[in-house]
Amino acid sequence: MTTTETSAGVLPDMAEVPARDLRVAVLGVGMMGADHVARLYSRISGATVVAVSDAFAEKAEQVAATVPGCRVISDPLAAIADEGVDAVVIATPGQFHEEQLLACIERGIPVLCEKPLTMEAASSLAVVRAEDAYTARTGRQLVQVGFMRRFDPEYAQLRELIASGELGEPLVVHCAHRNAVVPPHFTSEMMVNDSVVHEVDVTRFLLDEEIAAVTVLRPRATRHAVAGQSDPLLVLFETTGGRMVDVEVFVSTGVGYEVRTEVVGEDGSAMIGLDLGLVRHRGGASGASRSTAIAPDFRQRFGRAYDIELQRWVDAARRGTIDGPGAWDGYAAQAVCAAGIEALRTGRRTEVRLEPREAASQEGTAP
Ligand code: ISE
């Protein structure tokens, strides 16, 4: 391996990709973590899952058994510190992310962290600053946040279309984010923090500017809403450039997973997420009908996005860096969600408090 002299000492050369696979530890193997393990094992090249960790030992054993040679390391911090681990995927509950991210930065290994980056804007900012210090010494970023929609081919196409100028200036964005069903503990706050957070990132990704203020309205609730929940919600973002984005978030539709985004510009509009795959025509006693399939949940709708996200992350991590939304993007999303929660509680328009960015390198890379 060649090396580079820096003020921090001698570092392996970034451009050099090691011949062996990236040895990955996956922390948290609930629905999302287990999905990442299966994907890394069966569809992604250049990586091997060498360890998993989970608060539920039985679950960890079960998932480890699906990958030859995979160990269970019950303490996630021990997994991060393990000499046999080159990179980490964090899919643990959000309250554990800060400590685990800081440990990855401390050890200098790349990490892909499922959203939220951390639970509050202040702790996300602490992660940004810790990584800033590492980047200043090495020129590398380590933290990538799992906003998978950026890797979805339709979102990528929409972003390119906006950037081409063909729509003129984008003025308004309409978003729908619908889940068929959510677990009984899913509160209205979670509708903002867990669901609308994706539209926060999509807005920043498509429009390339920050969100300045958030308003949340509560229409009449569905009779299927989880007890105490306001479902659906209408959320309005105002961006620093004066554009507006409305989001209908509706998490108990009983229908399927529907995520649509329409950008309206000065010279035209464009929409993604219509699920226009196979269109089927059927006859029947009550008349002929036409139908298309709707994805049941986000793992199907964004399956291709997860594949691209993980493959690109593995390729970058083998060079000791990231390729996608970074810690700053995770922090900015948390700051907007904090304003969203305040707006939900007070019913008032709430301004987003975003600290100044100190290191431009924290922006992550636009996929
Ligand atoms: C979940 O955590 C996700 O990230 C899904 O993309 C979103 O649709 C769902 O509402 C969230 O609970």
Side-chain angles (χ1 to χ4, degrees):
M1 178 176 280
T2 57
T3 54
T4 307
E5 281 283 354
T6 74
S7 54
V10 179
L11 293 163
D13 198 321
M14 254 182 98
E16 189 177 331
V17 178
R20 66 168 160 72
D21 273 9
L22 184 79
R23 297 167 302 176
V24 180
V26 178
L27 313 183
V29 286
M31 181 173 70
M32 213 53 246
D35 208 59
H36 285 322
V37 171
R39 180 169 268 107
L40 282 164
Y41 179 51
S42 58
R43 304 159 84 96
I44 304 298
S45 61
T48 305
V49 180
V50 294
V52 295
S53 180
D54 199 280
F56 297 98
E58 213 177 303
K59 180 76 192 158
E61 292 292 350
Q62 236 175 46
V63 173
T66 62
V67 180
C70 179
R71 291 180 288 152
V72 172
I73 304 181
S74 44
D75 176 3
L77 295 179
I80 294 168
D82 196 286
E83 280 303 316
V85 167
D86 303 318
V88 171
V89 173
I90 297 180
T92 50
Q95 66 266 31
F96 303 113
H97 290 186
E98 182 185 4
E99 186 183 39
Q100 293 167 0
L101 285 163
L102 292 175
C104 291
I105 296 170
E106 177 75 29
R107 225 201 110 192
I109 54 173
V111 52
L112 174 64
C113 180
E114 273 306 325
K115 54 89 187 161
L117 186 66
T118 69
M119 297 299 274
E120 321 80 21
S123 50
S124 289
L125 189 62
V127 171
V128 167
R129 298 297 183 228
E131 193 196 25
D132 269 350
Y134 176 86
T135 307
R137 292 198 308 274
T138 64
R140 290 185 217 173
Q141 284 179 265
L142 296 175
V143 180
Q144 182 165 330
V145 60
F147 287 129
M148 77 297 188
R149 288 195 194 174
R150 294 189 182 215
F151 298 89
D152 174 62
E154 288 189 7
Y155 275 107
Q157 230 183 323
L158 190 55
R159 181 179 149 99
E160 269 169 37
L161 181 63
I162 295 169
S164 74
E166 280 180 49
L167 296 180
E169 277 296 324
L171 307 172
V172 171
V173 183
H174 302 294
C175 306
H177 183 157
R178 302 190 190 132
N179 293 173
V181 63
V182 283
H185 66 267
F186 209 84
T187 59
S188 302
E189 281 77 10
M190 290 173 79
M191 289 169 67
V192 174
N193 280 330
D194 274 353
S195 307
V196 178
V197 67
H198 285 294
E199 274 72 23
V200 171
D201 188 61
V202 157
T203 297
R204 298 181 64 255
F205 177 61
L206 292 178
L207 301 180
D208 250 334
E209 58 190 18
E210 297 295 351
I211 294 169
V214 187
T215 306
V216 179
L217 300 174
R218 301 175 187 242
R220 174 182 170 142
T222 166
R223 69 182 195 285
H224 304 297
V226 164
Q229 189 194 51
S230 292
D231 186 27
L233 293 174
L234 291 184
V235 181
L236 182 72
F237 304 143
E238 294 165 54
T239 70
T240 47
R243 299 171 231 266
M244 291 202 185
V245 179
D246 61 72
V247 184
E248 171 219 309
V249 57
F250 187 4
V251 297
S252 299
T253 64
V255 177
Y257 192 67
E258 297 171 88
V259 167
R260 289 202 270 281
T261 305
E262 181 182 23
V263 176
V264 183
E266 291 169 314
D267 300 321
S269 64
M271 185 191 267
I272 60 165
L274 290 174
D275 276 325
L276 289 178
L278 181 78
V279 181
R280 186 163 170 199
H281 290 232
R282 262 190 277 225
S286 51
S289 65
R290 176 186 296 136
S291 65
T292 67
I294 300 178
D297 75 30
F298 49 91
R299 286 170 302 174
Q300 289 77 22
R301 164 65 181 87
F302 288 112
R304 178 92 186 102
Y306 286 120
D307 284 350
I308 298 171
E309 175 190 52
L310 269 181
Q311 186 62 67
R312 289 182 54 170
W313 175 72
V314 164
D315 294 346
R318 294 179 79 197
R319 301 189 309 270
T321 188
I322 63 165
D323 182 6
W328 178 266
D329 300 299
Y331 160 64
Q334 279 318 102
V336 175
C337 286
I341 295 296
E342 202 178 318
L344 175 73
R345 287 190 185 137
T346 62
R348 285 202 289 270
R349 174 185 182 275
T350 305
E351 291 190 359
V352 176
R353 287 181 291 274
L354 201 63
E355 292 298 320
R357 177 187 290 182
E358 277 164 18
S361 60
Q362 286 297 340
E363 195 175 356
T365 50

